[in-house]
Amino acid sequence: MSASATLSDLPATEAGAGTAVEATPSFSPLYRQIKALLVRGLQEGEWLPGQAIPSELVLAARFRVSQGTVRKAIDEMATDNLLVRRQGKGTFVASHAEQATQYRFLRLQPDDGSATPLQRRLLDCRRMRAPAEVARLLDLKAGEPAVQVRRLLLAPAEAAAAPRPVVLDDLWLPGTLFKGLTAERLAAWRGPLYRLFEAEFAVQTIGAEEKIRAVAASAEEAALLEVAPGAPLLSVERLTHTYGERPVELRRGLYHTAAHHYRNVLS
Amino acid sequence: MSASATLSDLPATEAGAGTAVEATPSFSPLYRQIKALLVRGLQEGEWLPGQAIPSELVLAARFRVSQGTVRKAIDEMATDNLLVRRQGKGTFVASHAEQATQYRFLRLQPDDGSATPLQRRLLDCRRMRAPAEVARLLDLKAGEPAVQVRRLLLAPAEAAAAPRPVVLDDLWLPGTLFKGLTAERLAAWRGPLYRLFEAEFAVQTIGAEEKIRAVAASAEEAALLEVAPGAPLLSVERLTHTYGERPVELRRGLYHTAAHHYRNVLS
DNA sequence: CAGTGGTCTAGACCACTAG
DNA sequence: TAGTGGTCTAGACCACTGA
């Protein structure tokens, strides 16, 4: 309903099979155009995470296509993790802010199968002008404002022992996207960071790309992670993006992999 | 045709929608059963990599279902990288033995975007009884025969310099699957290992799971990779499997990540 | 019960490939 | 031209959800 203004600008489509669609320079099938329109709706916040989008029949009527065509568009978006289908209930905008204990993109696992969640400890949060390298990766102009965050993730304590640090994260965020983000706000937040992004700043993280290396711990890093200086650490540089591949976060994690490993599935 | 004996044992299916299918304890839709039958055909070598499977209409007739149902089964197998569709030509069994320069599962990339392929150098190849840990992971009985291979991958030389080692791989293969594998045969082989597996031993690698760590180079490893002892290296333990999650290779790679990185895409 | 997504069918035309 | 996969439609029934 509120969408019709935006979404009804689909090229007129007569009934019949193999419908030719003009106005698109590079031909793409109807269901892909519908997918594109739906993605645009998500980008523009027409439907928010967790909310239901209109039913397949309603969308089919709106776009003047068959239910099967809408279905194929939604199918692709579901496999893209943009939508979630729930039989009998509807189709919902994927929210990556649910799985309470789950870290969204963290592939680190304990060597024993235990599933005890990691604790967070905020070390630093400050606004600054983005360094050249950071600005380049985040698609910012040189000197634009950025937020830098440093934090630790710790494995819960055994018995009376102190929790052991496992991950040291350094984050840079575009300052314009995260306007009201302060150390106090961060410290008060309980839950995954990406949930904060979505709930407070309407920044939805869709995917990421990581570059992984083995590095030797510097003196400072070693102290924070409680390892010997020069100890081997996993360096994970992550560029997180939202709809349309727009980068929204640069994160450099140092993982202590003595009792954990990074798990990856290839196909 | 040669398949009918194997594949025609699909439960009889009357025309009509929402066909109920018995004989399956946990209900699964028709297209999944057809997918399972097709996968079984692949496992049994009914159609070999690179060959075409029967057309959708032929399969639909054989299974007594509509073309659309077969199509959905094939669609899933295509996204699983088991089949490859080519419009106008047919549907083919995926062969992971093609991309000449491409290493099948190697996610390592040069930091500059250069695409120069790595050179291989075989260090060792011997038959032995599988160590307990290897046997466990490869699903072998203790003491069953195994093949162990050690090799280097090297970045091509700049100018007159010698090529620089980048990856040290240790592999264990089930001896029963790789009967005629000898050092001579390996040394003579030009091309990716996984292509050898497929061409000579009918072992098709479908997927893999990796556990990644940062480790310090031992004296021996350091010498082979031409780094200082104790230098940080990426340890990648890969368990490769064929159809039905059956493990066929255990590989432990040590990556020197000074000028390369492991790239991963998350979603 | 009505409404939703999930499966299945039957048949049409399009786009591509190859003889 | 015939055969293949690719797209689209229209309509049926099933399985699940919640009032």
Side-chain angles (χ1 to χ4, degrees):
Chain A
M1 4 182 24
S2 66
S4 46
T6 317
L7 297 178
S8 64
D9 56 355
L10 187 70
T13 302
E14 305 308 319
T19 316
V21 181
E22 49 271 278
T24 324
S26 62
F27 281 148
S28 72
L30 251 188
Y31 73 88
R32 278 201 188 283
Q33 300 179 38
I34 288 170
K35 178 183 176 183
L37 290 173
L38 291 175
V39 169
R40 210 205 298 172
L42 292 180
Q43 287 182 39
E44 295 173 354
E46 204 148 328
W47 308 291
L48 297 179
Q51 290 182 353
I53 68 171
S55 78
E56 295 178 352
L57 279 175
V58 170
L59 289 173
R62 174 180 305 169
F63 295 145
R64 315 297 226 78
V65 299
S66 81
Q67 185 188 5
T69 301
V70 170
R71 166 167 283 274
K72 193 155 183 183
I74 292 180
D75 276 344
E76 281 204 357
M77 295 176 69
T79 63
D80 289 349
N81 289 316
L82 297 182
L83 298 176
V84 177
R85 324 190 69 142
R86 270 178 250 173
Q87 182 172 133
K89 300 184 69 174
T91 302
F92 299 79
V93 181
S95 170
H96 309 298
E98 298 163 342
Q99 325 92 311
T101 91
Q102 267 300 35
Y103 284 86
R104 174 78 170 93
F105 289 128
L106 186 59
R107 293 288 189 268
L108 202 66
Q109 298 195 339
D111 289 340
D112 54 46
S114 67
T116 47
L118 299 175
Q119 303 170 4
R120 282 169 296 273
R121 182 179 300 164
L122 180 63
L123 298 182
D124 192 19
C125 172
R126 63 183 66 184
R127 304 189 79 86
M128 56 190 301
R129 312 230 301 209
E133 178 67 2
V134 172
R136 188 180 64 78
L137 288 169
L138 284 179
D139 241 356
L140 302 178
K141 293 187 180 61
E144 266 193 288
V147 183
Q148 202 214 325
V149 179
R150 166 170 278 197
R151 66 146 182 199
L152 276 178
L153 297 181
L154 306 99
E158 304 263 338
R164 290 176 303 105
V166 177
V167 174
L168 172 61
D169 268 334
D170 276 300
L171 296 78
W172 287 268
L173 307 168
T176 49
L177 274 180
F178 295 85
K179 274 214 151 48
L181 185 57
T182 63
E184 295 72 42
R185 198 123 173 220
L186 253 184
W189 181 258
R190 315 240 140 267
L193 268 188
Y194 290 129
R195 170 146 58 168
L196 173 70
F197 294 180
E198 179 175 308
E200 302 287 319
F201 303 97
V203 171
Q204 297 163 55
T205 51
I206 302 306
E209 181 186 327
E210 292 187 337
K211 294 182 180 179
I212 306 173
R213 286 188 164 75
V215 301
S218 74
E220 183 187 11
E221 294 158 355
L224 288 169
L225 284 170
E226 296 175 14
V227 298
L233 297 175
L234 213 60
S235 163
V236 180
E237 181 183 307
R238 180 192 301 166
L239 191 58
T240 314
H241 64 261
T242 183
Y243 299 107
E245 299 287 311
R246 215 154 55 89
V248 293
E249 179 207 44
L250 177 63
R251 180 184 296 212
R252 201 258 191 155
L254 284 176
Y255 300 179
H256 181 211
T257 54
H260 294 73
H261 63 269
Y262 182 109
R263 182 171 180 276
N264 198 21
V265 174
L266 312 179
S267 57
Chain B
M1 6 187 17
S2 66
S4 46
T6 317
L7 297 176
S8 64
D9 56 356
L10 187 72
T13 302
E14 304 309 317
T19 315
V21 181
E22 48 270 278
T24 324
S26 61
F27 280 149
S28 73
L30 250 188
Y31 72 88
R32 278 201 188 284
Q33 300 180 37
I34 288 169
K35 179 184 176 183
L37 290 174
L38 291 175
V39 169
R40 209 205 299 171
L42 292 180
Q43 288 182 39
E44 297 175 353
E46 203 146 328
W47 309 289
L48 297 179
Q51 291 182 353
I53 68 171
S55 78
E56 294 178 353
L57 280 174
V58 170
L59 289 174
R62 174 180 305 171
F63 296 144
R64 314 296 226 80
V65 298
S66 80
Q67 184 187 8
T69 301
V70 170
R71 167 166 283 273
K72 195 155 183 183
I74 292 179
D75 276 344
E76 281 204 359
M77 295 176 69
T79 64
D80 289 348
N81 289 315
L82 297 183
L83 297 177
V84 177
R85 326 190 68 143
R86 270 177 251 174
Q87 183 172 134
K89 300 184 70 175
T91 302
F92 298 79
V93 181
S95 169
H96 309 299
E98 298 163 342
Q99 324 91 313
T101 91
Q102 266 301 35
Y103 284 87
R104 174 79 172 92
F105 289 128
L106 185 60
R107 292 288 190 265
L108 201 66
Q109 298 196 339
D111 289 340
D112 53 46
S114 67
T116 47
L118 300 176
Q119 304 170 3
R120 281 169 296 274
R121 182 179 301 164
L122 180 63
L123 298 182
D124 192 20
C125 173
R126 63 182 68 184
R127 304 188 80 85
M128 55 190 299
R129 312 229 302 208
E133 177 67 3
V134 172
R136 189 181 62 80
L137 289 168
L138 284 180
D139 241 356
L140 303 178
K141 293 187 179 62
E144 267 194 287
V147 182
Q148 201 213 326
V149 179
R150 167 169 277 197
R151 67 147 183 199
L152 276 178
L153 297 181
L154 306 99
E158 305 262 339
R164 290 176 304 103
V166 177
V167 174
L168 172 62
D169 268 334
D170 275 301
L171 295 77
W172 287 268
L173 307 168
T176 49
L177 273 181
F178 295 86
K179 274 214 153 47
L181 185 58
T182 62
E184 296 71 43
R185 198 123 174 220
L186 253 183
W189 180 259
R190 317 241 138 266
L193 268 189
Y194 290 131
R195 172 146 57 168
L196 173 69
F197 294 0
E198 180 174 308
E200 303 287 319
F201 303 97
V203 171
Q204 296 164 54
T205 52
I206 302 305
E209 180 186 327
E210 292 187 337
K211 294 183 179 179
I212 305 173
R213 287 187 163 76
V215 300
S218 74
E220 182 187 10
E221 295 157 355
L224 289 169
L225 284 170
E226 296 175 15
V227 299
L233 296 175
L234 212 59
S235 162
V236 180
E237 181 184 307
R238 179 192 302 166
L239 190 59
T240 314
H241 64 261
T242 184
Y243 299 108
E245 297 286 313
R246 214 153 57 88
V248 292
E249 179 207 45
L250 176 63
R251 179 184 299 211
R252 202 257 193 154
L254 285 176
Y255 300 179
H256 182 211
T257 55
H260 294 73
H261 63 269
Y262 183 109
R263 181 172 180 274
N264 198 21
V265 173
L266 312 179
S267 57

